[in-house]
């Protein structure tokens, strides 16, 4: 089986796609890398208050390290996709994870917020080079009818990071301090880089396409009908996420339960992502996304109500946090699948642009959450619910148009 056919996504002469018998095992190794990327991106939420205290800044200011990472990722993703197009895929993936690991060393040693922000930009470069490449490779390793499931496995690394990385970051912060926790993340990145190097097959790069040519896909009406939803939906999900610990305080969750609440969010993210992959293949992306946005509205809306009512409902809050995580991460496989359907010849590019959209949304949500946090968790969660309603309306309005002009 030639590696050229893998990289290009074209079927070889015998008509079979690589990994047809074992698509799951072919994508699990890619998920190791996205686990490292996700742990790096989301672990901050577990120790944000102590980071802010040690750097002598507010929680809102410390939360902007998430915004800077997200904005840098979004801007660098298409640029790096162009600059690294000719590099062999395995070498690129390994180099990206090493960059991410070294950047986390910088974060762990940062003496002030300015140095921390610079290290987060370098980390974003590593993440921006890795995740879209892994997603694009997974999309061509399988038959079209398994595509959403394969992408869900790769994105599953990100969601597993929310289930494991963020709670472990919170635990490590309590026992070891946030700097040591950041160093552990660095070690994971380097360990998974070794794993990708040893397990991934050697795959060639692609033809270099100028950035201007790449971005012409944004002129396609079908793409424009799909891509903005990624930004809006992730913005809704992440308005409260970076400030989840202060939000948990506002809904009367005790300090001792933080770890379990963060774990429930991550568990929901894993379940929502995997269910989305299978459900998208079977029932279609629009139905999956519709269900997800309704769930997000309910979860964030009810959390806002609990915060406003000043009542202690720990068990219902746990259920809502689980639903919040599931509805947040059910979006990605379905959205990637929609974009590849409307632009199959530009699959690597639209996956990259979707990754940019994810982090633009995360950055947007974090900024809005930081602005509203001083006014209370009710407003933070309520704003997230309003954005989820807007995402649902955008989906319903554009779904028929995207199908018609795709």
């Amino acid at each position: 089986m030639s590696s050229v056919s893998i990289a290009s996504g074209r079927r070889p002469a015998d008509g079979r796609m690589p990994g047809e018998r074992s698509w799951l095992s072919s994508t699990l190794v890619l998920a190791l890398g996205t686990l490292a990327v996700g742990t790096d991106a989301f672990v901050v939420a577990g120790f944000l208050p102590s980071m802010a205290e040690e750097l002598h800044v507010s929680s809102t200011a410390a939360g902007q390290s998430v915004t800077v990472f997200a904005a840098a990722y979004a801007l660098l993703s298409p640029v790096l996709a162009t600059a690294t197009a000719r590099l062999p895929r395995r070498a690129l993936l390994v180099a990206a994870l090493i960059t991410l690991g070294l950047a986390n060393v910088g974060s762990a040693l940062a003496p002030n917020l300015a140095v921390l922000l610079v290290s987060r930009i370098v980390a974003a470069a590593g993440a921006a080079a890795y995740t879209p490449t892994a997603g694009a490779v997974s999309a061509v390793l399988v038959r079209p009818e398994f595509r959403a499931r394969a992408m869900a496995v790769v994105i599953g690394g990100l969601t597993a990071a929310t289930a494991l990385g963020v709670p472990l970051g919170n635990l490590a912060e309590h026992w070891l301090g946030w700097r040591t926790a950041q160093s552990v993340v660095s070690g994971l990145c380097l360990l998974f880089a070794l794993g990708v190097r040893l397990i991934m097959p050697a795959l060639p790069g692609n033809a270099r396409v100028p950035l201007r040519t790449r971005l012409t896909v944004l002129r396609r009406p079908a793409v424009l009908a799909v891509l903005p939803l990624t930004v809006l939906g992730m913005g809704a999900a992440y308005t409260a996420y970076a400030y989840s610990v202060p939000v948990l305080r506002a809904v009367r969750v005790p300090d001792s339960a933080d770890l379990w609440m963060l774990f429930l969010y991550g568990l929901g993210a894993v379940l929502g992502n995997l269910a989305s992959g299978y459900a998208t293949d079977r029932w279609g992306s629009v139905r999956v996304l519709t269900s997800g946005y309704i769930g997000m509205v309910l979860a964030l809306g009810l959390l806002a109500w609990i915060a406003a009512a000043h009542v202690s409902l720990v068990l219902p809050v746990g259920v809502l946090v689980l639903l919040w995580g599931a509805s947040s991460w059910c979006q990605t496989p379905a959205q990637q699948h929609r974009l590849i359907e409307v632009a199959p010849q530009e699959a690597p590019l639209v996956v990259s642009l979707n990754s940019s959209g994810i982090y633009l949304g995360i950055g947007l949500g974090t900024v809005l959450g930081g602005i509203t946090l001083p006014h209370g968790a009710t407003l933070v969660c309520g704003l997230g619910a309003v954005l989820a309603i807007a995402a649902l309306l955008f989906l319903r309005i554009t779904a028929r148009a995207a199908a018609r002009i795709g």
Side-chain angles (χ1 to χ4, degrees):
M1 194 70 65
S2 73
S3 58
V4 175
S5 62
I6 295 176
S8 66
R10 294 191 297 268
R11 283 184 176 269
D14 62 5
R16 297 180 59 180
M17 289 295 288
E20 188 161 304
R21 293 183 179 178
S22 56
W23 64 268
L24 183 59
S25 62
S26 300
T27 52
L28 280 174
V29 67
L30 297 172
L32 287 175
T34 53
L35 174 63
V37 171
T39 302
D40 172 78
F42 307 133
V43 73
V44 174
F47 50 69
L48 184 66
S50 62
M51 175 191 287
E53 182 179 356
E54 185 168 334
L55 295 177
H56 306 292
V57 297
S58 66
S59 291
T60 297
Q64 298 315 302
S65 63
V66 178
T67 303
V68 166
F69 179 95
Y73 183 110
L75 295 173
L76 289 172
S77 185
V79 174
L80 291 174
T82 300
T84 63
R86 294 180 179 176
L87 294 179
R89 301 294 89 182
R90 183 175 65 186
L92 173 59
L93 293 169
V94 171
L97 289 175
I98 291 174
T99 300
L100 194 63
L102 295 178
N104 274 278
V105 173
S107 297
L109 298 175
N112 52 51
L113 183 61
V115 175
L116 176 68
L117 295 180
V118 171
S119 72
R120 300 315 296 151
I121 293 173
V122 177
Y130 184 88
T131 307
T133 302
V137 168
S138 72
V140 300
L141 284 175
V142 299
R143 298 190 315 234
E145 59 265 34
F146 295 118
R147 184 179 290 155
R149 271 168 274 189
M151 289 186 291
V153 170
V154 174
I155 296 301
L158 294 177
T159 57
T162 66
L164 301 174
V166 176
L168 288 177
N170 180 262
L171 188 63
E173 181 269 331
H174 282 296
W175 287 94
L176 304 172
W178 71 270
R179 294 184 186 276
T180 303
Q182 201 81 58
S183 299
V184 171
V185 174
S186 176
L188 285 176
C189 294
L190 298 176
L191 176 63
F192 292 146
L194 177 62
V196 171
R197 175 62 182 84
L198 294 176
I199 299 173
M200 270 290 295
L203 307 176
N206 302 309
R208 188 178 185 277
V209 180
L211 182 60
R212 180 178 298 179
T213 302
R214 285 176 173 269
L215 295 182
T216 56
V217 73
L218 292 175
R219 298 176 185 173
R220 295 183 58 173
V223 173
L224 288 176
V226 176
L227 193 57
L229 182 62
T230 297
V231 179
L232 190 56
M234 294 305 292
Y238 275 78
T239 298
Y241 182 76
Y243 311 100
S244 54
V245 173
V247 167
L248 291 175
R249 292 291 81 73
V251 294
R252 303 296 189 272
V253 172
D255 292 1
S256 58
D258 281 352
L259 182 67
W260 296 108
M261 289 295 173
L262 292 171
F263 176 77
L264 284 174
Y265 178 95
L267 177 62
V270 172
L271 296 176
N273 172 73
L274 294 176
S276 175
Y278 283 91
T280 296
D281 282 332
R282 185 165 183 177
W283 293 298
S285 54
V286 173
R287 290 183 180 179
V288 170
L289 290 167
T290 299
S291 300
Y293 293 132
I294 291 173
M296 196 184 302
V297 171
L298 290 173
L300 292 174
L302 288 173
L303 285 172
W305 177 82
I306 292 172
H310 303 291
V311 294
S312 180
L313 300 169
V314 177
L315 288 178
V317 166
V319 174
L320 293 175
V321 168
L322 182 76
L323 178 59
W324 177 20
S327 60
S328 297
W329 283 98
C330 77
Q331 300 179 74
T332 304
Q335 275 293 93
Q336 287 185 341
H337 193 269
R338 293 179 76 204
L339 285 165
I340 291 175
E341 279 186 326
V342 299
Q345 300 304 316
E346 294 90 9
L349 174 58
V350 294
V351 169
S352 174
L353 292 174
N354 192 62
S355 293
S356 292
I358 289 172
Y359 283 93
L360 275 176
I362 291 174
L364 171 66
T366 305
V367 168
L368 293 175
I371 292 171
T372 54
L373 184 63
H375 303 286
T378 298
L379 186 57
V380 174
C381 294
L383 180 58
V386 169
L387 290 176
I389 292 172
L392 179 60
L393 292 175
F394 184 91
L395 171 67
R396 302 310 303 180
I397 291 170
T398 59
R400 290 185 179 179
R404 184 174 63 252
I405 62 184

